[in-house]
Amino acid sequence: MINLIVLPILIPLLTAVLLIFFASKVKTQRWISAISALLNIGVAFSVVRKVFVDGIQILNVGSWVAPFGITLVSDMLSALLVLTTTIIGFAVILYSFSSIGKEREKYYYYALVQFLLVGVIGAFTTGDIFNLFVFFEVMLMASYVLLVIGGTKIQLRESLKYLTVNVISSALFVISVAYLYSVVGTLNMAQISERIGSLEEMPGILTVIAVLFLIVFGMKGAIFPLYFWLPGSYFAPPIPVMALFGALLTKVGVYSIIRTFTLFFFQDKDYTYELLMILAIITVVVGVIGSIAYWNIKKIIIYNIITAIGVILYGVSVATTTSFTGSILYLIHDMLIKAALFLLIGVMIKITGTSNLRQFSGLIKHYPGLAWTFFIAAISLAGIPPFSGFVGKLLVIQGGFTAEEYIGATIILLSSLLVLYSVMKIFIHGFWGVPKEYAKKESISYRALLFPIVLIITISVLYGIGSDYVYSYVSQAVQTLVNPELYIEAVLKE
Amino acid sequence: MEILMAIIIGILFASATYLFLSKSILRIIVASGLLSHGAHLLILTMGGLKQGAVPLVNKEGIPVTDPLPQALILTAIVISFGVTALFLVLAYRAYQELGTDNMDQLRGTEGND
């Protein structure tokens, strides 16, 4: 079916529209959104299979040939990220049933989650730079409302800051697109790449535009000097929303950096890739400093997002086949594991009523299932061999050492230690020790909350064990990154 | 003509930056308005300001101005309308709930121990 690749965008969009009509019927909303999310996983999976068998999939919207209309492009990287997004979406929706509360559910919570998924999946699939901007805005609009829904004081305060930062970065995105349009005269990503590629050498203005794009997407993806908004904003919303944000939003920025840097700005690697590398390394350092500094479990996980972004972008900046493979493996692993970790600390906060690590201990006595799930998530995050974080990080570091970028690779190696320390701190202080008063609250339906987490952790463990199987998919994704011609040929074939 | 526009857009960006750095929320919202004006004018300028007919169907075949930037601006305008409306309502709610419009007093200390 030729329209297959638009379905992952269309299904959540139609679901969101449908959900608006059932605002007061919470049960109906839950059924609709769960079924649609499950359906979308199936569709995303068939897209991955299709891309694996038949190569890059193109859909010219409205049958206008490639550079003139909007083209949707699904290469292996997009398809894999879309699949991961749908899985996380499904898990978070299941988790929301027993966590988010009726008050928020009645005010279009599920519709907003679906709109957020539309934005994220659309941003992964589009082949047009301005369309990417529009999908960014769809995603951001939904995220503004998800951040503020409920209207508590902290949410209102942090939404103001989050909105201000994103208004500025969106305006910068528009400005960068305007500059790029005036230089190359097209908006189709494949044609931009072709026109830049046909130049003898990259003119200075394109380097400037590359840095502008790095600033724009770095602001969305929280790299070193532009991460300042993230710790506060991600602290405010309820847990399922936090999981969606932590797993998806920043990764869209990272994906955009990967896409633009491998497709547009691959000629003058000296300056732009060097800059990206320095920023990535400092991002890792800032992330680990934050994650070991705090005693608040939310903050610890939030700073771990920043570390992971640094690791992924370091792999991208090295720009060899090995390091790209590592980055993509790590990107998918990190989306899954961050969602799982946020949902896990959500359960912990629900049980103990606090996110301060100093105020609880001994959870393992009454909640062994939760404890061991957290343990697996923690060691996956750090990259202990049989689990999912290992292969990605291994290849990133191997790529770094082969390209003789010793400093960065060593820092990333050392950062794993501190990442492990930061999550083990939660495990040791929170789960071990003497149980405290709160320990036997009957009202907590903790099994219902744990089910989606176990689902994600299982997928992540399988992902780690079946690295061989996943590798064949990821290496296909890397093909388009190291060879932009494949992408251009697929889009502009006529 | 482009140079004149570039200077004007630069002034808009400068004013927006100045207002973004102020303390009152309303000034920040005004700044976001100015910033989006600047961005939209920049798209128009970057598309080229050469003279031509309006991009409607014309049978005479005279050259028309570039229609693409105009479509982009139209899209960007409605998006920034939506965001600005949300921003204003959010500022109103925040003023009701938190009782201040001074960004300095909206600092958070949760979880920073």
Side-chain angles (χ1 to χ4, degrees):
Chain A
M1 197 165 76
I2 194 161
N3 288 332
L4 183 67
I5 66 169
V6 79
L7 282 183
I9 306 174
L10 213 54
I11 291 171
L13 184 62
L14 292 177
T15 313
V17 173
L18 192 66
L19 284 173
I20 291 172
F21 294 104
F22 296 103
S24 56
K25 297 190 180 63
V26 173
K27 280 249 164 60
T28 326
Q29 285 201 61
R30 289 178 180 175
W31 275 104
I32 294 174
S33 43
I35 290 169
S36 121
L38 200 59
L39 180 69
N40 214 11
I41 294 179
V43 173
F45 196 74
S46 65
V47 172
V48 172
R49 288 300 306 172
K50 179 90 176 156
V51 175
F52 188 64
V53 177
D54 297 341
I56 301 174
Q57 294 295 305
I58 305 294
L59 176 65
N60 286 322
V61 180
S63 302
W64 291 93
V65 284
F68 304 113
I70 287 174
T71 316
L72 297 178
V73 186
S74 209
D75 65 344
M76 191 42 98
L77 177 58
S78 318
L80 285 175
L81 291 175
V82 169
L83 179 62
T84 320
T85 307
T86 53
I87 291 170
I88 290 167
F90 178 64
V92 170
I93 286 169
L94 282 191
Y95 188 91
S96 306
F97 290 171
S98 40
S99 150
I100 198 80
K102 283 224 164 41
E103 276 310 303
R104 286 190 169 100
E105 281 175 307
K106 277 183 187 162
Y107 284 94
Y108 306 99
Y109 171 76
Y110 291 113
L112 286 163
V113 171
Q114 297 286 347
F115 275 124
L116 186 83
L117 293 176
V118 173
V120 173
I121 294 171
F124 286 146
T125 322
T126 187
D128 183 284
I129 194 79
F130 196 76
N131 198 227
L132 179 68
F133 165 74
V134 175
F135 275 122
F136 259 112
E137 289 300 315
V138 172
M139 173 185 94
L140 288 172
M141 256 318 215
S143 76
Y144 301 149
V145 186
L146 279 174
L147 183 57
V148 81
I149 191 171
T152 59
K153 283 187 175 164
I154 178 172
Q155 282 179 300
L156 285 167
R157 199 184 65 211
E158 295 304 330
S159 306
L160 279 176
K161 298 171 193 170
Y162 181 70
L163 233 154
T164 313
V165 167
N166 279 302
V167 163
I168 295 172
S169 80
S170 297
L172 271 177
F173 196 174
V174 173
I175 292 164
S176 321
V177 170
Y179 282 145
L180 191 63
Y181 179 70
S182 79
V183 175
V184 295
T186 177
L187 294 168
N188 182 298
M189 285 168 31
Q191 205 186 14
I192 294 172
S193 173
E194 189 190 32
R195 290 200 174 164
I196 293 175
S198 66
L199 300 168
E200 296 280 298
E201 58 181 290
M202 200 149 116
I205 184 73
L206 278 174
T207 311
V208 174
I209 294 170
V211 175
L212 260 177
F213 271 111
L214 182 62
I215 292 171
V216 170
F217 296 137
M219 219 148 176
K220 316 272 187 201
I223 62 173
F224 158 61
L226 309 164
Y227 72 94
F228 56 87
W229 55 272
L230 187 135
S233 302
Y234 281 23
F235 193 79
I239 291 293
V241 177
M242 201 188 258
L244 272 181
F245 283 16
L248 303 178
L249 294 196
T250 48
K251 306 306 184 295
V252 180
V254 172
Y255 165 81
S256 308
I257 291 178
I258 297 177
R259 188 57 91 205
T260 47
F261 271 62
T262 55
L263 199 57
F264 301 169
F265 311 116
F266 53 86
Q267 287 196 356
D268 180 26
K269 277 192 177 165
D270 291 344
Y271 184 78
T272 44
Y273 279 67
E274 189 77 39
L275 182 67
L276 185 61
M277 180 177 295
I278 294 166
L279 293 182
I281 293 169
I282 306 177
T283 310
V284 171
V285 174
V286 167
V288 291
I289 290 175
S291 63
I292 57 175
Y294 285 100
W295 279 83
N296 188 307
I297 49 180
K298 285 195 210 172
K299 286 267 170 169
I300 294 173
I301 309 297
I302 286 170
Y303 274 96
N304 272 316
I305 301 176
I306 299 175
T307 314
I309 284 162
V311 172
I312 297 164
L313 288 180
Y314 176 77
V316 174
S317 71
V318 172
T320 60
T321 313
T322 322
S323 71
F324 275 134
T325 318
S327 283
I328 293 170
L329 279 167
Y330 199 76
L331 177 59
I332 294 166
H333 141 80
D334 191 62
M335 289 168 78
L336 290 170
I337 215 75
K338 283 290 144 56
L341 276 171
F342 274 116
L343 298 180
L344 275 167
I345 61 167
V347 179
M348 289 166 70
I349 292 169
K350 195 136 196 163
I351 291 170
T352 62
T354 174
S355 59
N356 189 336
L357 197 49
R358 288 201 177 94
Q359 288 175 10
F360 61 91
S361 61
L363 286 182
I364 199 166
K365 188 159 166 61
H366 298 294
Y367 305 96
L370 176 70
W372 294 115
T373 321
F374 185 87
F375 184 73
I376 296 173
I379 57 178
S380 306
L381 180 74
I384 308 288
F387 296 105
S388 57
F390 173 65
V391 189
K393 216 172 234 177
L394 175 75
L395 292 175
V396 168
I397 292 167
Q398 191 190 342
F401 277 120
T402 342
E404 300 185 344
E405 302 287 355
Y406 299 114
I407 303 171
T410 315
I411 287 176
I412 284 170
L413 210 52
L414 292 177
S415 79
S416 312
L417 211 59
L418 295 175
V419 166
L420 182 65
Y421 168 73
S422 71
V423 276
M424 277 303 141
K425 188 164 87 175
I426 301 181
F427 189 72
I428 290 170
H429 291 269
F431 287 102
W432 287 355
V434 187
K436 290 187 182 169
E437 297 284 304
Y438 51 75
K440 270 287 174 185
K441 253 191 248 166
E442 296 298 329
S443 60
I444 294 159
S445 57
Y446 121 93
R447 273 173 215 292
L449 288 174
L450 203 59
F451 172 68
I453 305 172
V454 171
L455 189 76
I456 302 184
I457 297 281
T458 314
I459 292 169
S460 137
V461 169
L462 290 178
Y463 180 79
I465 294 168
S467 294
D468 260 356
Y469 182 71
V470 181
Y471 187 84
S472 54
Y473 287 84
V474 172
S475 62
Q476 194 188 341
V478 173
Q479 287 298 313
T480 39
L481 297 187
V482 289
N483 263 331
E485 291 82 18
L486 291 175
Y487 187 99
I488 300 169
E489 268 168 36
V491 178
L492 304 170
K493 52 185 171 249
E494 270 86 21
Chain B
M1 190 63 189
E2 275 90 349
I3 291 171
L4 185 64
M5 286 297 280
I7 291 167
I8 290 167
I9 294 162
I11 292 168
L12 276 173
F13 284 164
S15 334
T17 314
Y18 177 73
L19 285 173
F20 264 123
L21 296 173
S22 58
K23 285 179 185 170
S24 152
I25 296 174
L26 274 181
R27 280 168 186 267
I28 290 174
I29 298 176
V30 172
S32 83
L34 287 178
L35 187 67
S36 59
H37 281 322
H40 301 154
L41 283 175
L42 188 76
I43 305 181
L44 194 70
T45 314
M46 287 308 206
L49 294 174
K50 290 165 202 73
Q51 291 193 339
V54 286
L56 294 169
V57 178
N58 61 340
K59 294 193 177 94
E60 294 83 22
I62 29 178
V64 292
T65 51
D66 190 351
L68 194 57
Q70 305 185 12
L72 302 187
I73 293 168
L74 197 57
T75 314
I77 285 174
V78 290
I79 289 173
S80 72
F81 259 180
V83 176
T84 310
L86 179 72
F87 206 164
L88 279 166
V89 174
L90 189 65
Y92 179 60
R93 277 288 294 155
Y95 180 71
Q96 280 184 327
E97 200 75 17
L98 305 165
T100 178
D101 75 332
N102 188 335
M103 285 309 267
D104 270 358
Q105 289 171 13
L106 294 177
R107 292 210 179 113
T109 51
E110 292 93 349
N112 285 345
D113 48 341

